Short mmCIF file of all heavy atoms in Angstrom, two decimals:
data_model
loop_
_atom_site.label_atom_id
_atom_site.label_comp_id
_atom_site.label_asym_id
_atom_site.label_seq_id
_atom_site.Cartn_x
_atom_site.Cartn_y
_atom_site.Cartn_z
N MET Y 38 116.14 122.56 69.11
CA MET Y 38 117.36 123.07 68.49
C MET Y 38 117.87 124.29 69.27
O MET Y 38 119.07 124.39 69.56
CB MET Y 38 117.13 123.45 67.03
CG MET Y 38 118.38 123.96 66.34
SD MET Y 38 119.77 122.81 66.35
CE MET Y 38 119.19 121.56 65.24
N SER Y 39 116.97 125.18 69.65
CA SER Y 39 117.38 126.36 70.41
C SER Y 39 117.99 125.96 71.75
O SER Y 39 119.01 126.52 72.17
CB SER Y 39 116.18 127.28 70.65
OG SER Y 39 115.68 127.75 69.42
N ARG Y 40 117.39 124.99 72.39
CA ARG Y 40 117.92 124.53 73.67
C ARG Y 40 119.30 123.91 73.50
O ARG Y 40 120.20 124.12 74.32
CB ARG Y 40 116.96 123.52 74.31
CG ARG Y 40 117.37 123.11 75.71
CD ARG Y 40 116.39 122.18 76.34
NE ARG Y 40 116.39 120.89 75.65
CZ ARG Y 40 115.61 119.87 75.99
NH1 ARG Y 40 114.75 119.99 76.97
NH2 ARG Y 40 115.69 118.73 75.35
N ALA Y 41 119.48 123.17 72.41
CA ALA Y 41 120.76 122.51 72.18
C ALA Y 41 121.89 123.50 71.90
O ALA Y 41 123.02 123.32 72.37
CB ALA Y 41 120.64 121.52 71.02
N VAL Y 42 121.60 124.56 71.15
CA VAL Y 42 122.68 125.48 70.78
C VAL Y 42 122.92 126.58 71.81
O VAL Y 42 124.04 127.09 71.91
CB VAL Y 42 122.44 126.13 69.39
CG1 VAL Y 42 122.33 125.06 68.32
CG2 VAL Y 42 121.23 127.04 69.39
N GLN Y 43 121.90 126.91 72.58
CA GLN Y 43 122.05 128.05 73.48
C GLN Y 43 123.15 127.86 74.51
O GLN Y 43 123.84 128.80 74.87
CB GLN Y 43 120.72 128.42 74.14
CG GLN Y 43 120.14 127.41 75.09
CD GLN Y 43 120.61 127.55 76.52
OE1 GLN Y 43 120.94 128.63 76.98
NE2 GLN Y 43 120.63 126.45 77.23
N LYS Y 44 123.36 126.64 74.98
CA LYS Y 44 124.40 126.45 76.00
C LYS Y 44 125.79 126.77 75.45
O LYS Y 44 126.62 127.34 76.16
CB LYS Y 44 124.33 125.06 76.61
CG LYS Y 44 124.47 123.92 75.65
CD LYS Y 44 124.28 122.59 76.36
CE LYS Y 44 123.79 121.55 75.38
NZ LYS Y 44 123.33 120.35 76.01
N TYR Y 45 126.04 126.47 74.19
CA TYR Y 45 127.33 126.79 73.58
C TYR Y 45 127.44 128.29 73.32
O TYR Y 45 128.50 128.89 73.51
CB TYR Y 45 127.52 126.01 72.28
CG TYR Y 45 127.50 124.52 72.51
CD1 TYR Y 45 126.36 123.77 72.19
CD2 TYR Y 45 128.59 123.87 73.08
CE1 TYR Y 45 126.32 122.41 72.43
CE2 TYR Y 45 128.56 122.51 73.32
CZ TYR Y 45 127.42 121.78 72.99
OH TYR Y 45 127.39 120.44 73.24
N MET Y 46 126.34 128.87 72.89
CA MET Y 46 126.33 130.31 72.63
C MET Y 46 126.52 131.10 73.93
O MET Y 46 127.23 132.11 73.94
CB MET Y 46 125.03 130.71 71.93
CG MET Y 46 124.90 130.17 70.52
SD MET Y 46 123.32 130.65 69.81
CE MET Y 46 123.47 130.00 68.16
N VAL Y 47 125.88 130.67 74.99
CA VAL Y 47 126.03 131.35 76.28
C VAL Y 47 127.49 131.29 76.73
O VAL Y 47 128.05 132.30 77.15
CB VAL Y 47 125.08 130.75 77.35
CG1 VAL Y 47 125.47 131.21 78.75
CG2 VAL Y 47 123.63 131.10 77.05
N ASP Y 48 128.12 130.13 76.59
CA ASP Y 48 129.53 129.99 76.98
C ASP Y 48 130.43 130.93 76.20
O ASP Y 48 131.38 131.50 76.76
CB ASP Y 48 130.01 128.55 76.79
CG ASP Y 48 129.44 127.60 77.84
OD1 ASP Y 48 128.89 128.08 78.86
OD2 ASP Y 48 129.54 126.37 77.62
N GLN Y 49 130.16 131.10 74.92
CA GLN Y 49 131.01 132.00 74.12
C GLN Y 49 130.50 133.44 74.11
O GLN Y 49 131.13 134.32 73.51
CB GLN Y 49 131.20 131.48 72.70
CG GLN Y 49 129.96 131.25 71.91
CD GLN Y 49 130.23 130.49 70.62
OE1 GLN Y 49 131.15 129.69 70.50
NE2 GLN Y 49 129.40 130.75 69.62
N ARG Y 50 129.37 133.67 74.77
CA ARG Y 50 128.76 134.99 74.89
C ARG Y 50 128.52 135.64 73.54
O ARG Y 50 128.68 136.84 73.34
CB ARG Y 50 129.58 135.90 75.81
CG ARG Y 50 129.73 135.30 77.22
CD ARG Y 50 130.09 136.27 78.29
NE ARG Y 50 129.16 137.35 78.53
CZ ARG Y 50 128.00 137.27 79.20
NH1 ARG Y 50 127.62 136.11 79.68
NH2 ARG Y 50 127.26 138.33 79.40
N TYR Y 51 128.07 134.82 72.62
CA TYR Y 51 127.75 135.28 71.28
C TYR Y 51 126.93 134.21 70.57
O TYR Y 51 127.19 133.01 70.73
CB TYR Y 51 129.03 135.54 70.45
CG TYR Y 51 128.72 135.86 69.02
CD1 TYR Y 51 128.38 137.15 68.63
CD2 TYR Y 51 128.70 134.85 68.05
CE1 TYR Y 51 128.07 137.43 67.31
CE2 TYR Y 51 128.39 135.13 66.73
CZ TYR Y 51 128.07 136.42 66.37
OH TYR Y 51 127.74 136.70 65.07
N GLY Y 52 125.99 134.63 69.78
CA GLY Y 52 125.26 133.67 68.97
C GLY Y 52 124.15 134.34 68.18
O GLY Y 52 123.71 135.45 68.49
N ARG Y 53 123.73 133.64 67.15
CA ARG Y 53 122.63 134.10 66.31
C ARG Y 53 121.67 132.94 66.10
O ARG Y 53 122.06 131.89 65.59
CB ARG Y 53 123.14 134.56 64.94
CG ARG Y 53 124.14 135.71 64.96
CD ARG Y 53 123.44 137.03 65.26
NE ARG Y 53 124.35 138.15 65.17
CZ ARG Y 53 124.85 138.79 66.21
NH1 ARG Y 53 124.57 138.38 67.44
NH2 ARG Y 53 125.63 139.83 66.04
N ILE Y 54 120.44 133.13 66.51
CA ILE Y 54 119.38 132.15 66.26
C ILE Y 54 118.44 132.78 65.24
O ILE Y 54 117.94 133.89 65.46
CB ILE Y 54 118.62 131.78 67.55
CG1 ILE Y 54 119.56 131.07 68.53
CG2 ILE Y 54 117.40 130.91 67.22
CD1 ILE Y 54 118.96 130.82 69.90
N VAL Y 55 118.24 132.12 64.12
CA VAL Y 55 117.32 132.59 63.10
C VAL Y 55 116.34 131.46 62.81
O VAL Y 55 116.72 130.42 62.27
CB VAL Y 55 118.05 133.02 61.81
CG1 VAL Y 55 117.04 133.56 60.80
CG2 VAL Y 55 119.14 134.05 62.10
N ASN Y 56 115.10 131.66 63.21
CA ASN Y 56 114.06 130.66 62.99
C ASN Y 56 113.30 130.96 61.71
O ASN Y 56 113.13 132.12 61.34
CB ASN Y 56 113.11 130.63 64.19
CG ASN Y 56 113.81 130.11 65.43
OD1 ASN Y 56 114.57 129.15 65.36
ND2 ASN Y 56 113.57 130.74 66.56
N LEU Y 57 112.83 129.92 61.07
CA LEU Y 57 112.09 130.07 59.82
C LEU Y 57 110.61 129.90 60.09
O LEU Y 57 110.11 128.78 60.26
CB LEU Y 57 112.58 129.07 58.77
CG LEU Y 57 112.07 129.29 57.36
CD1 LEU Y 57 112.40 130.71 56.88
CD2 LEU Y 57 112.69 128.28 56.42
N SER Y 58 109.93 131.03 60.18
CA SER Y 58 108.48 131.04 60.41
C SER Y 58 107.78 131.10 59.06
O SER Y 58 108.28 130.59 58.07
CB SER Y 58 108.11 132.22 61.32
OG SER Y 58 106.74 132.20 61.63
N SER Y 59 106.64 131.73 59.02
CA SER Y 59 105.85 131.84 57.79
C SER Y 59 104.80 132.92 57.96
O SER Y 59 104.34 133.18 59.07
CB SER Y 59 105.16 130.50 57.51
OG SER Y 59 104.22 130.63 56.46
N SER Y 60 104.40 133.51 56.85
CA SER Y 60 103.29 134.45 56.90
C SER Y 60 102.01 133.73 57.32
O SER Y 60 101.06 134.37 57.77
CB SER Y 60 103.10 135.15 55.55
OG SER Y 60 102.81 134.21 54.54
N SER Y 61 101.99 132.43 57.23
CA SER Y 61 100.83 131.65 57.69
C SER Y 61 100.61 131.78 59.19
O SER Y 61 99.53 131.44 59.68
CB SER Y 61 101.01 130.16 57.33
OG SER Y 61 100.94 130.00 55.93
N ALA Y 62 101.59 132.30 59.92
CA ALA Y 62 101.42 132.54 61.35
C ALA Y 62 100.27 133.52 61.61
O ALA Y 62 99.70 133.53 62.69
CB ALA Y 62 102.71 133.08 61.97
N LEU Y 63 99.94 134.31 60.60
CA LEU Y 63 98.85 135.27 60.72
C LEU Y 63 97.49 134.64 60.45
O LEU Y 63 96.46 135.30 60.58
CB LEU Y 63 99.08 136.44 59.75
CG LEU Y 63 100.39 137.19 59.97
CD1 LEU Y 63 100.60 138.22 58.87
CD2 LEU Y 63 100.41 137.84 61.34
N GLY Y 64 97.49 133.36 60.08
CA GLY Y 64 96.26 132.63 59.77
C GLY Y 64 96.26 132.16 58.33
O GLY Y 64 96.69 132.90 57.44
N ASN Y 65 95.82 130.94 58.12
CA ASN Y 65 95.78 130.37 56.77
C ASN Y 65 94.73 129.27 56.72
O ASN Y 65 94.87 128.26 57.41
CB ASN Y 65 97.16 129.83 56.38
CG ASN Y 65 97.31 129.63 54.90
OD1 ASN Y 65 96.51 130.12 54.10
ND2 ASN Y 65 98.33 128.90 54.52
N ARG Y 66 93.72 129.48 55.92
CA ARG Y 66 92.62 128.53 55.82
C ARG Y 66 93.12 127.10 55.57
O ARG Y 66 93.97 126.87 54.72
CB ARG Y 66 91.68 128.94 54.69
CG ARG Y 66 90.47 128.04 54.53
CD ARG Y 66 89.61 128.46 53.36
NE ARG Y 66 89.17 129.84 53.45
CZ ARG Y 66 88.10 130.26 54.12
NH1 ARG Y 66 87.34 129.37 54.75
NH2 ARG Y 66 87.77 131.52 54.15
N GLY Y 67 92.61 126.18 56.34
CA GLY Y 67 92.94 124.77 56.17
C GLY Y 67 94.26 124.34 56.78
O GLY Y 67 94.67 123.20 56.62
N GLN Y 68 94.92 125.26 57.47
CA GLN Y 68 96.22 124.94 58.05
C GLN Y 68 96.32 125.42 59.49
O GLN Y 68 97.30 126.06 59.88
CB GLN Y 68 97.35 125.56 57.23
CG GLN Y 68 97.54 124.95 55.87
CD GLN Y 68 98.80 125.48 55.20
OE1 GLN Y 68 99.04 126.68 55.18
NE2 GLN Y 68 99.60 124.58 54.67
N ALA Y 69 95.34 125.11 60.28
CA ALA Y 69 95.34 125.56 61.68
C ALA Y 69 96.57 125.07 62.42
O ALA Y 69 97.16 125.82 63.21
CB ALA Y 69 94.07 125.09 62.39
N ASN Y 70 96.98 123.85 62.16
CA ASN Y 70 98.15 123.31 62.83
C ASN Y 70 99.43 124.06 62.44
O ASN Y 70 100.24 124.43 63.29
CB ASN Y 70 98.29 121.81 62.59
CG ASN Y 70 98.25 121.41 61.13
OD1 ASN Y 70 98.09 122.23 60.22
ND2 ASN Y 70 98.39 120.12 60.87
N TYR Y 71 99.61 124.29 61.15
CA TYR Y 71 100.80 125.00 60.65
C TYR Y 71 100.80 126.45 61.13
O TYR Y 71 101.83 126.95 61.59
CB TYR Y 71 100.81 124.92 59.12
CG TYR Y 71 102.05 125.47 58.47
CD1 TYR Y 71 103.26 124.79 58.55
CD2 TYR Y 71 102.01 126.67 57.76
CE1 TYR Y 71 104.40 125.29 57.93
CE2 TYR Y 71 103.14 127.17 57.15
CZ TYR Y 71 104.33 126.48 57.22
OH TYR Y 71 105.45 126.97 56.61
N SER Y 72 99.65 127.10 61.05
CA SER Y 72 99.55 128.49 61.52
C SER Y 72 99.87 128.59 63.00
O SER Y 72 100.59 129.49 63.43
CB SER Y 72 98.15 129.04 61.25
OG SER Y 72 97.91 129.12 59.86
N ALA Y 73 99.33 127.68 63.78
CA ALA Y 73 99.58 127.69 65.23
C ALA Y 73 101.05 127.44 65.53
O ALA Y 73 101.64 128.10 66.40
CB ALA Y 73 98.71 126.65 65.92
N ALA Y 74 101.66 126.52 64.82
CA ALA Y 74 103.07 126.22 65.04
C ALA Y 74 103.95 127.42 64.71
O ALA Y 74 104.87 127.76 65.46
CB ALA Y 74 103.49 125.01 64.20
N LYS Y 75 103.68 128.07 63.59
CA LYS Y 75 104.50 129.20 63.17
C LYS Y 75 104.26 130.42 64.07
O LYS Y 75 105.19 131.17 64.37
CB LYS Y 75 104.25 129.55 61.70
CG LYS Y 75 104.72 128.46 60.74
CD LYS Y 75 106.19 128.13 60.91
CE LYS Y 75 106.68 127.16 59.86
NZ LYS Y 75 108.13 126.94 59.93
N ALA Y 76 103.04 130.63 64.53
CA ALA Y 76 102.77 131.71 65.48
C ALA Y 76 103.46 131.43 66.81
O ALA Y 76 104.04 132.33 67.43
CB ALA Y 76 101.26 131.89 65.68
N GLY Y 77 103.42 130.19 67.25
CA GLY Y 77 104.11 129.80 68.47
C GLY Y 77 105.61 130.00 68.35
O GLY Y 77 106.28 130.44 69.29
N MET Y 78 106.14 129.70 67.18
CA MET Y 78 107.57 129.90 66.93
C MET Y 78 107.93 131.38 67.06
O MET Y 78 108.99 131.72 67.59
CB MET Y 78 107.95 129.40 65.55
CG MET Y 78 109.40 129.59 65.21
SD MET Y 78 109.75 129.26 63.48
CE MET Y 78 109.42 127.51 63.40
N GLN Y 79 107.05 132.25 66.61
CA GLN Y 79 107.33 133.68 66.72
C GLN Y 79 107.37 134.11 68.19
O GLN Y 79 108.24 134.87 68.59
CB GLN Y 79 106.30 134.48 65.92
CG GLN Y 79 106.47 134.29 64.43
CD GLN Y 79 105.50 135.08 63.60
OE1 GLN Y 79 104.79 135.96 64.10
NE2 GLN Y 79 105.46 134.79 62.31
N GLY Y 80 106.45 133.59 68.99
CA GLY Y 80 106.47 133.89 70.42
C GLY Y 80 107.71 133.33 71.09
O GLY Y 80 108.32 133.99 71.94
N LEU Y 81 108.09 132.11 70.72
CA LEU Y 81 109.31 131.50 71.26
C LEU Y 81 110.53 132.35 70.89
O LEU Y 81 111.40 132.60 71.73
CB LEU Y 81 109.46 130.07 70.73
CG LEU Y 81 110.77 129.36 71.07
CD1 LEU Y 81 110.93 129.19 72.57
CD2 LEU Y 81 110.82 128.00 70.37
N THR Y 82 110.59 132.80 69.65
CA THR Y 82 111.72 133.61 69.19
C THR Y 82 111.84 134.89 69.99
O THR Y 82 112.94 135.27 70.42
CB THR Y 82 111.56 133.93 67.69
OG1 THR Y 82 111.54 132.70 66.95
CG2 THR Y 82 112.69 134.80 67.18
N LYS Y 83 110.73 135.56 70.23
CA LYS Y 83 110.75 136.81 71.00
C LYS Y 83 111.19 136.54 72.44
O LYS Y 83 111.96 137.33 73.02
CB LYS Y 83 109.38 137.47 70.95
CG LYS Y 83 109.05 138.04 69.58
CD LYS Y 83 107.62 138.53 69.49
CE LYS Y 83 107.30 139.03 68.11
NZ LYS Y 83 107.89 140.33 67.80
N THR Y 84 110.75 135.43 73.00
CA THR Y 84 111.16 135.08 74.36
C THR Y 84 112.64 134.73 74.43
O THR Y 84 113.34 135.14 75.36
CB THR Y 84 110.29 133.93 74.90
OG1 THR Y 84 108.92 134.34 74.87
CG2 THR Y 84 110.68 133.55 76.31
N LEU Y 85 113.13 134.00 73.44
CA LEU Y 85 114.56 133.69 73.39
C LEU Y 85 115.39 134.97 73.32
O LEU Y 85 116.44 135.08 73.97
CB LEU Y 85 114.88 132.80 72.19
CG LEU Y 85 114.38 131.36 72.25
CD1 LEU Y 85 114.57 130.68 70.89
CD2 LEU Y 85 115.08 130.59 73.35
N ALA Y 86 114.91 135.95 72.56
CA ALA Y 86 115.64 137.22 72.45
C ALA Y 86 115.74 137.90 73.81
O ALA Y 86 116.80 138.43 74.17
CB ALA Y 86 114.94 138.14 71.45
N ILE Y 87 114.66 137.86 74.58
CA ILE Y 87 114.66 138.47 75.92
C ILE Y 87 115.59 137.71 76.86
O ILE Y 87 116.41 138.30 77.57
CB ILE Y 87 113.23 138.51 76.49
CG1 ILE Y 87 112.35 139.45 75.67
CG2 ILE Y 87 113.23 138.89 77.96
CD1 ILE Y 87 110.86 139.30 75.92
N GLU Y 88 115.49 136.39 76.84
CA GLU Y 88 116.26 135.58 77.79
C GLU Y 88 117.74 135.46 77.45
O GLU Y 88 118.58 135.39 78.34
CB GLU Y 88 115.64 134.18 77.88
CG GLU Y 88 114.25 134.17 78.50
CD GLU Y 88 113.61 132.80 78.55
OE1 GLU Y 88 114.14 131.85 77.93
OE2 GLU Y 88 112.56 132.67 79.20
#
Side-chain angles (χ1 to χ4, degrees):
M38 181 58 70
S39 297
R40 186 177 68 180
V42 301
Q43 66 89 28
K44 58 185 154 192
Y45 300 103
M46 292 178 176
V47 166
D48 287 347
Q49 57 190 29
R50 302 200 61 77
Y51 173 84
R53 300 285 185 256
I54 295 173
V55 182
N56 292 318
L57 191 56
S58 184
S59 170
S60 61
S61 292
L63 301 173
N65 198 14
R66 182 182 304 275
Q68 291 188 312
N70 53 358
Y71 186 72
S72 295
K75 293 303 186 174
M78 179 190 294
Q79 291 181 11
L81 173 62
T82 299
K83 290 172 182 286
T84 301
L85 289 170
I87 294 165
E88 293 178 350

